Amino acid sequence: LARPLGAAAPRPRCVAARAGPGKGGEEGGKDFGNSVYGILSKHGDTQMISVALTKAGLDSTLSDEEKEYTIFAPSDDAMADFAKKKGVTKLSLMELEGLDEVVKNHVVEGKFPMADLPSEITTLAGKTIPTPKVVMNKGRSKKQLANFNSLNGCFHIIDAVME
């Protein structure tokens, strides 16, 4: 219909959004609570190792509150460097053959806060290796890198991927 000359345009109707079943974001996703995996997966600097642990099927294991675990979690920057070294993108890293074993090299049974780290650790991959270097923070930075506690263990952020 044509509007008479000089007449004001009709005001647009404002319609409220309908409430749906979810709220968006993480709503509806599996909640790993305050387990070592749950805390790790929520940390902003350890997203890539969290995905790799899930791909390796360790998310449920590390959420079991009957056992304690320590994760030596490579930072996202360390994971990106590892991907580059392997000649793959960060996304395709998650499909890399042998990644499951690499990921298991970063998990040990038992809770080892920074003050109680042994000189050697035996990983879920079955390797006994020297304990990686763990620091609370770097230089003058106040950013915490170690002793992230949970109900069933702790994790420390490290600078390199242990192959």
Side-chain angles (χ1 to χ4, degrees), residues 10-135:
R11 296 187 72 181
R13 260 182 56 194
C14 190
V15 179
R18 294 181 187 205
K23 296 179 184 173
E26 295 177 355
E27 189 77 19
K30 187 169 181 179
D31 182 11
F32 293 97
N34 290 324
S35 69
V36 69
Y37 179 78
I39 301 295
L40 178 78
S41 66
K42 294 172 194 165
H43 193 284
D45 292 331
T46 57
Q47 295 301 294
M48 290 181 70
I49 190 67
S50 297
V51 171
L53 287 164
T54 300
K55 286 277 193 184
L58 293 174
D59 51 343
S60 295
T61 301
L62 297 171
S63 298
D64 178 1
E65 294 177 12
E66 299 297 315
K67 287 188 172 182
E68 290 188 328
Y69 297 94
T70 299
I71 303 172
F72 295 92
S75 67
D76 287 342
D77 288 343
M79 292 292 285
D81 290 344
F82 179 68
K84 187 175 182 179
K85 176 182 166 187
K86 293 294 181 182
V88 297
T89 66
K90 291 186 286 185
L91 187 58
S92 62
L93 175 65
M94 298 305 151
E95 306 303 324
L96 187 68
E97 188 175 321
L99 184 64
D100 291 4
E101 290 302 305
V102 171
V103 169
K104 289 177 184 175
N105 283 333
H106 293 85
V107 183
V108 298
E109 284 190 18
K111 183 175 183 176
F112 298 104
M114 193 171 161
D116 298 332
L117 288 172
S119 59
E120 288 186 333
I121 54 173
T122 300
T123 69
L124 290 188
K127 289 184 179 178
T128 299
I129 59 174
T131 299
K133 182 179 179 186
V134 173
V135 296

Side-chain angles (χ1 to χ4, degrees), residues 73-75 77-79 81 132-133 135 138 145 156-161:
S75 67
D77 288 343
M79 292 292 285
D81 290 344
K133 182 179 179 186
V135 296
K138 289 183 182 176
L145 300 173
H156 311 290
I157 300 174
I158 59 174
D159 286 338
V161 173

